[in-house]
Amino acid sequence: MTILRFVEHLSELVADVDVVLSDIWGVVHNGLESFPDACAALKTARDQGRTVILITNAPRPADSVQRQLRKLGVADDNYDAIVSSGDLTRNYVAARNGQSVFWLGPERDNSIYRGLDAVFAPLDQADYIVCTGPFDDETESAEDYRVMMGEALARKLPLVCANPDIVVERGDRLVYCAGAIAELYRELGGEVIFYGKPHRPIYQRALAIAQALRGAPVPLDRVLAIGDSVRTDLAGAQRFGIDCLFVTRGIHAAAFEGLDGLDALQVRELFGHPPRALTRELRW
């Protein structure tokens, strides 16, 4: 018996929703272009009185994320606020004045340190690591960092993962993120501190902002998450106690190709615990 089916429209699910917590990459854009139907859906949700918070594992501050969204044609009025794993990582760095950091990540993520008095050091002299991704995500994977992670483990350095995603879409390709390196370090026995989905702090921050904007508490049963990753978006929503609309056109697209609905076995294999509903792409 089919127990989980696709819905075509966000409007089918939000009659009893006050707050929408939407993923960005894979739902609103693919790194190269925005999805107009998704943007219009979020704007309509806002226009009807709901609060829309974008929650992202981008290892950059919210204002940097906003600039990227503008470049991709995502208007400011499509959402109320942005909460990023980059902002949560910045709080960690700011609280450790006097300690030195080894930064593992591409130069484009340098805004994560903007305005902070971060002291950078090579791996053999650092007090901790901040990982925002591979140095070159076009060509590298976590395996390229196995030796480096072994050296970090020997020094018992904590690694702060500023983006728990394993992979993300870039156009029609998947590229590796900081989460892949962090998971390797954890498998080796290293200490990893994760900021971003599926971990609670990013949801707590997003809900606090939504409640401040609305001027009243929001029950969890009136919050809907939207995302395209089983490991981060769906797992994070479930752990936080909120429903999730799962978008299948993102990083798991191949697993859903040709499916119109899922039976109980498929649900267990793909999700473990099912989302509230599936949709191929976000539209009102």
Side-chain angles (χ1 to χ4, degrees):
M1 181 177 67
T2 299
I3 64 171
L4 185 60
R5 298 193 63 84
F6 287 84
V7 298
E8 296 295 328
H9 303 283
L10 178 62
S11 59
E12 299 176 49
L13 300 177
V14 294
D16 57 351
V17 168
D18 294 325
V19 173
V20 173
L21 305 181
S22 178
D23 181 37
I24 298 178
W25 207 308
V27 174
V28 177
H29 69 71
N30 66 2
L32 298 179
E33 59 184 2
S34 60
F35 306 141
D37 285 343
C39 295
L42 295 179
K43 184 178 186 304
T44 302
R46 286 193 72 222
D47 290 345
Q48 293 187 359
R50 300 173 186 90
T51 302
V52 175
I53 309 294
L54 302 184
I55 55 174
T56 174
N57 281 352
R60 295 176 292 281
D63 60 345
S64 294
V65 176
Q66 184 179 48
R67 284 193 291 273
Q68 181 191 28
L69 290 174
R70 289 170 175 170
K71 289 178 182 177
L72 293 174
V74 181
D76 294 355
D77 63 0
N78 292 169
Y79 55 90
D80 292 278
I82 301 170
V83 178
S84 75
S85 57
D87 279 324
L88 299 176
T89 302
R90 282 171 55 82
N91 293 338
Y92 181 96
V93 175
R96 280 153 183 81
N97 284 335
Q99 294 187 5
S100 56
V101 55
F102 174 72
W103 174 26
L104 170 52
E107 183 60 31
R108 67 173 181 270
D109 294 337
N110 61 14
S111 61
I112 197 171
Y113 302 105
R114 187 179 61 238
L116 301 178
D117 294 324
V119 177
F120 298 102
L123 186 65
D124 61 358
Q125 299 175 30
D127 295 303
Y128 64 98
I129 302 167
V130 167
C131 182
T132 62
F135 289 124
D136 182 1
D137 59 16
E138 292 288 332
T139 62
E140 293 178 333
S141 71
E143 280 302 310
D144 293 289
Y145 293 88
R146 184 172 289 274
V147 172
M148 179 188 289
M149 292 299 99
E151 295 170 354
L153 182 63
R155 297 197 59 232
K156 296 182 170 58
L157 297 181
L159 183 149
V160 180
C161 179
N163 176 0
D165 288 347
I166 300 293
V167 295
V168 70
E169 282 187 298
R170 182 170 294 151
D172 59 357
R173 299 182 300 113
L174 297 179
V175 296
Y176 284 98
C177 302
I181 299 172
E183 290 297 342
L184 171 63
Y185 192 50
R186 185 162 67 171
E187 289 169 8
L188 293 173
E191 177 191 356
V192 179
I193 301 164
F194 289 97
Y195 287 112
K197 300 171 289 183
H199 306 281
R200 290 186 64 84
I202 196 167
Y203 293 93
Q204 291 170 328
R205 177 62 178 156
L207 187 58
I209 291 173
Q211 291 180 151
L213 291 171
R214 297 184 69 83
V218 179
L220 292 183
D221 63 1
R222 297 190 67 83
V223 180
L224 177 69
I226 303 172
D228 72 321
S229 167
V230 172
R231 180 180 169 274
T232 57
D233 297 309
L234 180 57
Q238 290 170 350
R239 292 177 191 177
F240 196 65
I242 58 179
D243 283 339
C244 181
L245 170 62
F246 191 84
V247 179
T248 64
R249 64 149 312 281
I251 61 174
H252 299 293
F256 294 94
E257 187 173 358
L259 292 179
D260 292 320
L262 301 179
D263 61 26
L265 178 59
Q266 290 172 316
V267 169
R268 286 195 299 272
E269 289 177 345
L270 290 169
F271 299 115
H273 182 73
R276 180 172 175 181
L278 304 171
T279 190
R280 289 182 175 80
E281 56 186 307
L282 187 63
R283 61 181 61 185
W284 184 252

